[in-house]
């Protein structure tokens, strides 16, 4: 007879958490089609016929400067301008909402949670996305590429957000859709949550060992010991 006992993984108890840091693109707002279209446009401009959709998915996460530096250091500024011009033109047309995200943010705000955005986007485009999705009023703290010397997964952006919110890592949760978010949270000493709707796939995100994986954003409320979303 086997003496092996099956161990069920326990989800972390988040009832002590008072601060939540969110990535933006691919986590709170669905900018995936916009980002992919922008990369494809840029790649077709400089490398005609060479890149397809599946090729540019791996570009999502780090700042544009890092991605384009790896392609051609002499054309970083040029490619960045091409990308941003297309991205800004198509922004409001291609950015979509994720079901349940806004309602979850509203409920967290009503219950007094401290919240911030920590993103590798520039401030102008980050704020534009938040306003488009009507979330800007819930985030007084928005840490973008413009405010830091080091970007995720370096802990600096998360530390700046926590400092602005007067929060501590032990009571903070970082939520995101890429390794930059999960490793960034670990480097800053926070709890971490991945989102199953990551364009890079749930399994890939799970390989970075977040403390938990959210199937939907409203699921977060349950882990925080809050009532589920109410119909309005």
């Amino acid at each position: 007879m086997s003496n092996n006992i099956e161990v069920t993984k326990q989800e972390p108890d988040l009832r002590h958490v008072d601060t939540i840091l969110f990535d933006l693109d691919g986590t709170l707002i669905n900018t995936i089609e916009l980002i992919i279209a922008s990369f494809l446009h840029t790649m077709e401009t400089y490398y005609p016929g060479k890149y397809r959709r599946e090729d540019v998915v791996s570009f999502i996460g780090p700042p544009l400067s890092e991605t384009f530096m790896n392609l051609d250091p002499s054309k970083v500024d040029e490619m960045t301008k091409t990308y941003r011009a297309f991205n800004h033109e198509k922004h409001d047309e291609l950015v979509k909402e994720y079901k349940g995200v806004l309602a979850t943010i509203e409920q967290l705000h009503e219950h007094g949670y401290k919240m911030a955005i920590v993103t590798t986007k520039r401030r102008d485009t980050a704020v534009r996305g938040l306003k488009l999705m009507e979330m800007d009023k819930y985030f007084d703290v928005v840490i973008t590429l413009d405010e830091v010397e080091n970007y995720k997964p370096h802990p600096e952006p998360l530390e700046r957000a926590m400092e602005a919110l007067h929060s501590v890592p032990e009571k903070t949760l970082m939520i995101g859709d890429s390794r930059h978010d999960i490793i960034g949270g670990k480097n800053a000493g926070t709890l971490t949550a991945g989102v199953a709707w990551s364009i890079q796939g749930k399994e890939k995100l799970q390989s970075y060992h977040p403390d938990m994986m959210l199937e939907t954003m409203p699921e977060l409320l349950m882990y925080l010991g809050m009532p589920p979303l109410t119909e309005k």
Side-chain angles (χ1 to χ4, degrees):
M1 179 182 296
S2 173
N3 293 322
N4 291 338
I5 299 175
E6 184 177 349
V7 178
T8 302
K9 181 183 177 182
Q10 297 292 317
E11 296 290 355
D13 184 349
L14 302 183
R15 286 176 292 182
H16 68 292
V17 167
D18 64 12
T19 302
I20 305 174
L21 309 181
F22 293 95
D23 175 53
L24 187 59
D25 289 348
T27 299
L28 289 188
I29 62 177
N30 188 351
T31 54
I32 297 304
E33 291 306 317
L34 173 64
I35 293 171
I36 289 175
S38 301
F39 274 126
L40 287 175
H41 169 77
T42 306
M43 293 302 96
E44 192 61 24
T45 301
Y46 295 95
Y47 306 97
K50 185 176 179 180
Y51 287 86
R52 295 174 295 177
R53 181 185 177 92
E54 55 267 31
D55 300 319
V56 302
V57 167
S58 64
F59 294 169
I60 298 175
L64 295 176
S65 58
E66 178 181 319
T67 298
F68 295 145
M69 179 67 71
N70 291 333
L71 292 172
D72 187 345
S74 70
K75 294 183 178 178
V76 172
D77 290 343
E78 188 179 339
M79 286 192 284
T80 298
K81 289 178 182 177
T82 299
Y83 176 101
R84 285 182 172 150
F86 181 92
N87 187 276
H88 291 177
E89 178 185 348
K90 299 292 185 179
H91 185 278
D92 292 4
E93 174 187 341
L94 294 179
V95 172
K96 307 297 179 184
E97 65 178 335
Y98 285 122
K99 184 178 180 181
V101 166
L102 179 58
T104 301
I105 296 300
E106 289 173 340
Q107 194 129 320
L108 291 170
H109 182 264
E110 289 173 4
H111 282 75
Y113 282 88
K114 295 182 283 185
M115 299 186 293
I117 299 295
V118 181
T119 177
T120 52
K121 297 185 82 166
R122 295 194 313 178
R123 172 164 288 274
D124 57 346
T125 49
V127 171
R128 182 176 177 180
L130 286 169
K131 287 183 176 179
L132 183 65
M133 295 292 106
E134 300 181 351
M135 294 183 197
D136 56 307
K137 60 186 174 183
Y138 300 117
F139 293 98
D140 293 329
V141 176
V142 179
I143 304 298
T144 71
L145 198 59
D146 298 328
E147 281 80 51
V148 298
E149 295 183 8
N150 304 286
Y151 53 82
K152 297 177 294 184
H154 193 283
E156 182 192 348
L158 288 82
E159 290 170 346
R160 283 185 176 272
M162 287 187 284
E163 181 180 4
L165 293 170
H166 304 289
S167 300
V168 295
E170 296 78 14
K171 294 184 178 181
T172 299
L173 174 68
M174 175 71 210
I175 302 176
D177 70 318
S178 77
R179 75 174 185 88
H180 291 74
D181 305 308
I182 306 306
I183 303 303
K186 291 179 181 296
N187 288 340
T190 73
L191 288 166
T192 58
V195 296
W197 53 95
S198 168
I199 185 63
Q200 296 176 358
K202 177 181 176 181
E203 292 73 20
K204 179 69 173 178
L205 198 55
Q206 195 73 264
S207 71
Y208 302 112
H209 307 292
D211 293 297
M212 60 188 300
M213 184 68 68
L214 297 173
E215 297 296 331
T216 67
M217 193 60 78
E219 196 177 83
L220 174 62
L221 302 176
M222 175 186 71
Y223 291 120
L224 291 169
M226 296 172 59
L229 287 179
T230 53
E231 295 293 333
K232 292 187 177 181

